[in-house]
């Protein structure tokens, strides 16, 4: 059983959804990012989503765009991000890790080489935001052969026939983008989420997690109860960015993020 499947099975037994915190790799620097990754796993993060910084992040709002700029300035590369994952795996073999990014850096790295090295480092799943379903066949097959889940995104306005087409090839879980827009700019209502989950449950048996627009403990609790998990990204990055001085980490950086994460975790478990 994969780490992702084992995680959702354990959460189902506990009767709750997943809390999935997001961090931008190398934001604001390698050491802080590495420590945050470890601390998130120890303080309520059931699955952790790692953003791969990219200079043209079409789905990301201003907060994550700034995080990506800081990370690229700090020297983020795919190789170094995979090194960070491998280092994390030396002390944690249970927490699923998902890389979320864009196709260009992967193609520059070499798609097959990237998939091989990601699996070897200990990555469990990939979200490639701008990889169209129609062009994903080879990537999906290669990822599957290496034990990597290629996570599919759906949105409120995905047509029914396309849902059935794309989700039948999905693995790991489904990432429901709960708003029509970029990250951190709006939030779906509980009623909207319930309606969307009803629609998705008809076409997939995989866990469905909700992301984009979840900022507060109450929103995380609600999303994790209505779907199978909640991704919190921009809100945590804003907390972290507020502790920086001249773009650099301070003694408040990690404790501030972890304090917020603990509040989210408490809400999801309530």
């Amino acid at each position: 059983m994969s780490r992702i499947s084992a995680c959702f099975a354990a959460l189902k037994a506990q009767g709750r959804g997943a809390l999935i915190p997001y961090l931008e790799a190398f934001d604001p620097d390698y050491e802080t990012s590495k420590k945050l990754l470890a601390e998130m796993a120890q303080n309520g993060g059931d699955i952790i989503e790692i953003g791969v910084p990219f200079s043209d992040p079409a789905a990301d709002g201003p907060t994550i765009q700034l995080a990506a700029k800081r990370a690229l300035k700090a020297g983020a590369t795919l190789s170094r991000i995979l090194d960070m994952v491998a280092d994390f795996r030396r002390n944690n073999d249970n927490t699923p890790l998902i890389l979320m990014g864009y196709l260009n850096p992967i193609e520059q790295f070499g798609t097959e080489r990237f998939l091989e090295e990601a699996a070897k480092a200990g990555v469990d799943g990939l979200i490639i935001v701008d990889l169209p379903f129609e062009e994903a066949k080879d990537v999906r097959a290669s990822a599957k052969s290496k034990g990597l889940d290629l996570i599919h995104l759906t949105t409120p306005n995905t047509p029914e026939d396309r849902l059935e087409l794309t989700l039948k090839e999905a693995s790991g879980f489904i990432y429901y983008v709960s708003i029509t827009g970029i990250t951190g700019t709006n939030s779906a209502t509980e009623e909207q989420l319930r309606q969307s989950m009803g629609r998705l449950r008809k076409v997939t048996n995989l866990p469905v997690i909700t992301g984009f627009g979840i900022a507060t403990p109450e929103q995380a609790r609600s999303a994790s109860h209505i779907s199978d998990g909640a991704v919190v990204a921009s809100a945590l990055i804003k907390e972290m960015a507020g502790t920086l001085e001249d773009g650099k980490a301070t003694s408040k950086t990690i404790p501030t993020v972890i304090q917020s994460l603990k509040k989210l975790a408490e809400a999801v478990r309530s």
Side-chain angles (χ1 to χ4, degrees):
M1 181 181 288
S2 72
R3 290 189 191 93
I4 292 175
S5 297
C7 178
F8 280 109
L11 293 174
K12 186 176 181 179
Q14 296 173 32
R16 69 176 179 90
L19 175 62
I20 307 177
Y22 175 102
L23 65 87
E24 191 80 3
F26 281 64
D27 177 32
D29 58 70
Y30 174 80
E31 286 299 327
T32 302
S33 188
K34 185 175 74 169
K35 290 176 183 175
L36 267 178
L37 178 58
E39 292 277 344
M40 283 179 166
Q42 294 171 8
N43 290 282
D46 297 302
I47 297 171
I48 299 175
E49 187 178 339
I50 302 173
V52 177
F54 182 47
S55 58
D56 188 20
D60 296 324
T63 299
I64 297 181
Q65 289 180 26
L66 288 173
K69 285 185 177 179
R70 289 191 296 267
L72 291 169
K73 187 178 180 181
T77 65
L78 268 181
S79 287
R80 297 186 72 189
I81 293 169
L82 294 180
D83 287 344
M84 185 174 78
V85 170
D87 188 68
F88 173 84
R89 281 284 173 244
R90 293 187 183 97
N91 297 305
N92 186 318
D93 194 40
N94 298 317
T95 306
L97 299 180
I98 310 298
L99 292 190
M100 181 171 185
Y102 296 83
L103 191 56
N104 184 281
I106 295 172
E107 290 186 334
Q108 291 293 319
F109 191 87
T111 302
E112 191 62 22
R113 176 189 165 206
F114 167 71
L115 295 173
E116 289 178 1
E117 295 192 13
K120 184 178 178 182
V123 173
D124 299 289
L126 304 169
I127 300 171
I128 306 176
V129 178
D130 54 349
L131 176 61
F133 171 80
E134 289 78 3
E135 298 177 23
K137 182 178 179 180
D138 292 343
V139 175
R140 186 184 305 109
S142 183
K144 184 178 181 180
S145 72
K146 296 169 178 60
L148 294 167
D149 287 313
L150 191 60
I151 310 298
H152 284 250
L153 298 169
T154 69
T155 69
N157 56 359
T158 302
E160 300 294 336
D161 56 347
R162 187 163 182 81
L163 270 185
E164 294 183 10
L165 173 68
T166 59
L167 297 195
K168 70 179 182 181
E169 301 290 345
S171 65
F173 60 83
I174 307 300
Y175 190 123
Y176 177 61
V177 178
S178 62
I179 58 171
T180 51
I182 54 179
T183 58
T185 56
N186 202 352
S187 298
T189 66
E190 287 193 9
E191 180 56 28
Q192 288 171 329
L193 277 183
R194 290 186 194 285
Q195 290 179 0
S196 297
M197 288 309 115
R199 181 171 170 248
L200 290 169
R201 302 291 190 203
K202 293 178 182 176
V203 291
T204 183
N205 292 319
L206 289 173
V208 180
I209 64 96
T210 303
F212 285 45
I214 297 175
T216 67
E218 177 56 30
Q219 287 173 334
R221 187 198 67 79
S222 175
S224 68
H225 285 197
I226 295 171
S227 65
D228 297 297
V231 178
V232 182
S234 295
L236 290 174
I237 292 177
K238 280 182 182 176
E239 292 279 359
M240 190 208 69
T243 70
L244 304 181
E245 293 181 2
D246 297 326
K248 298 183 184 303
T250 66
S251 60
K252 298 179 181 177
T253 299
I254 292 175
T256 297
V257 176
I258 297 306
Q259 184 179 26
S260 293
L261 180 63
K262 286 180 177 178
K263 292 178 181 176
L264 292 163
E266 183 178 352
V268 167
R269 287 163 172 75
S270 65

